[in-house]
Amino acid sequence: MFKKIFGSKNDRYLKKLTPIIARINALEPEMEALADIDFPAKVAAWKGQVAAGEKTLDDLLPECFALVREAGRRAFDPPMRHFDVQLIGGIVLHQGKIAEMKTGEGKTLVATLAVVLNALSGKGVHVVTVNDYLARRDAEWMGQLYNFLGLTVGVIVHGLNDQERQEAYRADITYGTNNEFGFDYLRDNMKFYKEQLVQRPLNFAIVDEVDSILIDEARTPLIISGPGEKSSGLYRRVDAIVPKLVKSSPTDPEDKDAVPDGDFVLDEKTKSITLTDAGVEKVEGLLGLDNLFDPQNIALQHHVLQAVKAHHCFQRDVEYIVKDDQVVLVDEFTGRLMPGRRLSDGLHQAIEAKENVKVEAENQTLASITFQNYFRMYEKLAGMTGTADTEAVEFQQIYGLEVIVIPTNMPMVREDNPDSIYKTQEEKYKAIAEDIEDCHRRGQPVLVGTVSIEKSELISNLLKKLKVPHNVLNAKQHEREAEIVLEAGHKGKVTIATNMAGRGTDIKLGEGVCELGGLHIIGTERHESRRIDNQLRGRAGRQGDPGSSRFYLALDDDLMRLFGSDRLKGIMEKLGLEDGMAIENKMVSNAIEKSQTRVEGHHYEIRKQLLEYDDVMNQQREAIYGLRRELMETKEVESIAREYADDLLEDILEAALDVKGGADKETVESVRARLEEVFNFERFPEWAKSGLPDMDQAHKWVDDIFAYLRASTGEHYQEILRYFLLDSLDRNWKEHLLNMDHLRDGIGLRGYGQKDPKQEYKREGFELFSELVYTIKENALRAFSHLRIQAEVKDDEFKHEDTDDLQYTDSGSAQDKKPVTVRKDAKIPRNAPCPCGSGKKYKKCCGA
Ligand code: ADP
């Protein structure tokens, strides 16, 4: 009612853009009159004006959009002139918002407007796609327009080397996947020389399928890892006992005293496992342990839970497939394979053990970031998708991104039928098969959406029995995908697909299909999120095409079973649903939508929690990466190193010197030991005297240490200091990541007292971080002060090994060839990292 009187916020926003659109349209004759060669000239001139600060991007928007529109007419064959609604989309993107535009509205072309305008800044524009195929396709396709305007385009895809990446990032416009952009960021923060960095500062990104990337994928962070130490034997040993553990049957949630009857309880909603008392005893017996909860068995306990999870929450061909002796994850939302992505925390290894394939070495995290945090670093961020409206609150709260719903170019005429609801799945599938057969007989193309590969196959089998020819689009047929989608709108075609998000190509209708009612969409159950359902529906009715959709549901569908409210059941009973009969009822559909909203809310809370925890890590990462950049780029390495040295020295000495009447013998001894350890003062003859040096004397010795280094390393002095500082930072940061992981795992168990686990995590995380900063300084200093330099240092010997293939492996031996020897008699704690930088413990390396 309110909305009707005042118009929605969205309407008011769109209305405000009307005069701008009018201006762009008014400029059209002027642009039509230009010669082809005028286009790059104009762009170059604007670039100059922006660089000189004479014009802002906003000033140039109308003219620039008008130019791009005319360029679209000339550069493409057949010509593409941006529609007015596409201009609106372009403005929305330029303003750093999310443009919701339905499938087939031409988002790929919409992006060009904001891309070109923002490329005028010369600071780079990133267009983020969901896969390499789309990155290449869009860069090439839209590249015709960019090149016509004299702008350069780069593409970042898997398998490029650093030099190729640098080139692609230097271009005015860079296309690539979220994974590639994110990994490049992480890899850059592991480099040793600024010349090796591939990315420029993050300026503006337009994220295509923004809901897929920022919401669906937000739960899995990007991780760069190197091999850790655990053996595969452990996984196999634990795996062997899982089949002997019995799953408890579900108990009535109302009955608080119900005792589970099995060895473990699986909570289907949260996918969490808990062992029952009987289960614990059984596990102890099977593994030959006295007490599973003994601190020394913490790791084992963890592995048992993961193994049970691997067996009971992960189904082959649903959550993953086994291909070439490897466990490859399947994206739950798109059904695509995700080669290279691994579940963390030993879960992937547990599945490998279950499938009896090679158990990969457990990896240690070297760097990680969530997509949220990566994309939040851009100066400006925008997105586009066909379905963002249902998640508008999350986009606003987490990313500060506003969603604008943009009207379609042609009126939408798709007929969305009410849900058909059946008592059982069996009856439902029968009805679905009949609907498909009917369409097929009449020649109307059908797209059938399922939630899993398994369900796709079930329908495929039904159709085989009915002799209805069809295509199945799922992870296993990845390669033929584009081809199948291209044909899906042709007469008589039947296409079955797991989730359609990010499939790229839109479905165009074949000849004579309009008369038959266009594309018909069948949903075989409701997804947990309404957005995914909308994506499926959105495949029909593009650009004013006819089309229709219907969802088929059953009372025993997972969603209905797990989240359907009792109210829903009540309604159904009142309506008197009989066997084999369907009902179509608005009230029921609404109730289902309510339960979907509840599930969405539940998932949102999980993501928000995750983010709140991740925020702690994120602040630390920003601080460390910031420090790293500074160390990498500064010309004043020496003064930074000196500052660290002075801080440490004062820290250590002051404790003893400040004591009234002099420190006792014990304190003096321990301070001496610390000074020896960190500063190697024993290299100075005066040190032999007992007692402590005064502050001036100590500072002078530190001067001498630096003077010695400077004299013996000559022109390499700064680089050597830089090397040791960065090396110490990386080594300790890696360690810190592991500590933070443990802290986080453990914090959940601390729900005791009045303590808020998140606050505890923050507080202890901060303490760990302060220690980290101290340790970084100390380790670097220890390395400097124990250095004995050999005669000649060759240039390239100090280059850090290329971090190119760090993505899934570690370059652990990178430091082996350093031209540095360590005096054997130096007093370095035996378990400290060896100052030669090998990464081994001192006792196992130079101290051996
Ligand atoms: P979306 O990603 O929004 O679903 P696409 O970018 O895949 O849509 O474009 C759908 C189709 O519409 C493409 O084949 C494209 O060539 C066509 N198209 C988009 N905009 C225009 C336009 N202004 N004029 C002509 N064709 C267009």
Side-chain angles (χ1 to χ4, degrees), residues 266-449:
L266 166 65
D267 182 334
E268 276 196 68
K269 275 190 213 176
T270 59
K271 297 225 158 121
S272 63
I273 308 274
T274 25
L275 292 178
T276 62
D277 290 347
V280 171
E281 241 170 71
K282 202 183 228 177
V283 169
E284 286 168 350
L286 289 167
L287 291 177
L289 307 170
D290 285 338
N291 179 2
L292 184 61
F293 293 105
D294 197 279
Q296 72 182 38
N297 292 331
I298 282 189
L300 209 51
Q301 190 191 326
H302 175 73
H303 287 302
V304 170
L305 294 180
Q306 297 293 61
V308 176
K309 216 185 230 180
H311 279 259
H312 293 275
C313 300
F314 288 83
Q315 268 188 68
R316 185 171 173 160
D317 291 338
V318 179
E319 277 85 8
Y320 65 91
I321 64 163
V322 177
K323 192 179 166 191
D324 304 334
D325 219 28
Q326 284 188 332
V327 171
V328 181
L329 297 179
V330 175
D331 181 8
E332 144 186 28
F333 294 98
T334 63
R336 286 168 178 283
L337 295 182
M338 304 195 287
R341 282 283 268 275
R342 292 178 64 84
L343 295 160
S344 58
D345 248 8
L347 190 52
H348 213 94
Q349 286 83 349
I351 298 176
E352 285 167 339
K354 163 185 160 192
E355 293 295 343
N356 211 7
V357 299
K358 180 168 174 279
V359 176
E360 298 289 333
E362 183 153 22
N363 281 341
Q364 183 180 354
T365 304
L366 304 178
S368 93
I369 192 166
T370 57
F371 287 124
Q372 290 109 319
N373 282 322
Y374 173 71
F375 283 109
R376 286 202 296 195
M377 286 188 300
Y378 278 85
E379 198 63 35
K380 184 164 82 181
L381 182 62
M384 24 184 214
T385 166
T387 42
D389 202 27
T390 50
E391 251 74 22
V393 174
E394 180 161 352
F395 282 121
Q396 183 69 57
Q397 287 185 351
I398 294 187
Y399 298 95
L401 284 170
E402 194 180 341
V403 175
I404 302 293
V405 180
I406 294 171
T408 53
N409 184 43
M410 307 289 278
M412 164 76 83
V413 297
R414 187 185 63 227
E415 195 182 318
D416 292 328
N417 295 297
D419 301 335
S420 290
I421 305 157
Y422 291 83
K423 221 168 185 174
T424 64
Q425 295 194 15
E426 205 187 326
E427 296 160 36
K428 177 182 83 171
Y429 284 118
K430 198 164 149 255
I432 291 172
E434 280 165 11
D435 191 355
I436 299 173
E437 199 188 11
D438 172 57
C439 290
H440 177 67
R441 214 172 25 208
R442 289 184 294 104
Q444 183 178 19
V446 200
L447 174 68
V448 186

Side-chain angles (χ1 to χ4, degrees), residues 80-81 83 86 103-109 141 506 508:
M80 286 199 279
R81 175 187 172 275
F83 306 128
Q86 291 181 316
T103 313
E105 288 294 299
K107 289 185 278 292
T108 321
L109 188 66
W141 187 17
D506 66 335
K508 287 187 188 152

Side-chain angles (χ1 to χ4, degrees), residues 702-714:
V702 173
D703 284 342
D704 287 350
I705 292 173
F706 278 87
Y708 166 76
L709 275 179
R710 197 182 310 121
S712 50
T713 54

Side-chain angles (χ1 to χ4, degrees), residues 224-245:
I224 293 185
S225 52
E229 288 167 9
K230 283 218 189 74
S231 76
S232 68
L234 177 69
Y235 291 103
R236 300 216 188 271
R237 186 173 147 221
V238 171
D239 185 71
I241 69 160
V242 176
K244 305 201 174 94
L245 302 177

Side-chain angles (χ1 to χ4, degrees), residues 569-821:
K569 283 197 196 107
I571 300 172
M572 301 296 290
E573 264 157 34
K574 270 207 209 97
L575 292 170
L577 182 60
E578 285 171 26
D579 288 349
M581 198 180 95
I583 55 166
E584 290 173 11
N585 184 290
K586 197 81 201 122
M587 221 162 42
V588 179
S589 293
N590 283 346
I592 293 166
E593 210 168 301
K594 275 232 180 69
S595 60
Q596 281 180 305
T597 323
R598 253 202 317 275
V599 184
E600 284 164 19
H602 174 71
H603 286 316
Y604 174 46
E605 280 310 315
I606 294 178
R607 285 192 295 269
K608 213 167 108 191
Q609 277 272 347
L610 197 80
L611 193 68
E612 280 166 351
Y613 275 98
D614 195 51
D615 272 347
V616 177
M617 260 327 290
N618 196 45
Q619 282 172 5
Q620 300 188 353
R621 177 176 41 239
E622 279 179 6
I624 287 293
Y625 284 0
L627 175 61
R628 216 180 171 284
R629 278 294 157 97
E630 192 190 342
L631 291 175
M632 198 192 263
E633 288 171 3
T634 182
K635 296 205 169 62
E636 319 266 310
V637 198
E638 183 182 24
S639 70
I640 294 179
R642 265 318 297 255
E643 202 182 293
Y644 290 177
D646 292 339
D647 286 354
L648 279 171
L649 183 63
E650 283 158 26
D651 245 28
I652 298 173
L653 253 183
E654 259 164 14
L657 295 181
D658 281 356
V659 180
K660 276 225 176 77
D664 57 36
K665 199 166 163 250
E666 220 168 286
T667 314
V668 170
E669 274 316 302
S670 82
V671 171
R672 272 181 71 93
R674 287 280 292 147
L675 291 173
E676 270 182 34
E677 180 191 339
V678 181
F679 292 98
N680 190 21
F681 279 166
E682 56 209 315
R683 60 158 71 162
F684 301 105
E686 300 94 314
W687 178 254
K689 285 185 278 173
S690 58
L692 292 173
D694 61 26
M695 199 58 96
D696 287 340
Q697 174 69 72
H699 275 300
K700 194 181 158 305
W701 282 344
V702 173
D703 284 342
D704 287 350
I705 292 173
F706 278 87
Y708 166 76
L709 275 179
R710 197 182 310 121
S712 50
T713 54
E715 55 173 318
H716 300 288
Y717 176 53
Q718 298 274 345
E719 284 319 309
I720 287 177
L721 291 183
R722 196 193 310 278
Y723 182 92
F724 277 99
L725 286 167
L726 287 175
D727 191 54
S728 169
L729 181 143
D730 288 350
R731 228 169 263 294
N732 289 295
W733 171 242
K734 189 168 84 178
E735 200 70 16
H736 179 74
L737 288 176
L738 199 64
N739 288 340
M740 289 295 286
D741 272 356
H742 287 321
L743 175 64
R744 194 181 158 154
D745 284 349
I747 219 88
L749 305 171
R750 294 198 212 174
Y752 56 72
Q754 300 302 312
K755 283 182 182 156
D756 171 7
K758 216 158 37 210
Q759 285 307 322
E760 288 290 288
Y761 176 72
K762 260 191 195 160
R763 197 179 51 75
E764 290 194 31
F766 182 75
E767 273 169 28
L768 283 178
F769 187 74
S770 314
E771 276 169 38
L772 166 70
V773 174
Y774 190 88
T775 317
I776 289 175
K777 295 177 182 177
E778 180 177 325
N779 284 10
L781 247 291
R782 197 156 53 196
F784 300 149
S785 62
H786 287 86
L787 275 181
R788 280 289 176 272
I789 309 295
Q790 287 178 337
E792 188 76 10
V793 179
K794 283 208 214 88
D795 242 358
D796 53 338
E797 282 183 345
F798 251 94
K799 286 259 188 280
H800 192 60
E801 192 161 280
D802 206 358
T803 46
D804 236 14
D805 52 11
L806 258 181
Q807 196 158 328
Y808 308 114
T809 53
D810 182 17
S811 63
S813 59
Q815 296 87 358
D816 282 355
K817 310 178 294 229
K818 251 194 325 283
V820 167
T821 53

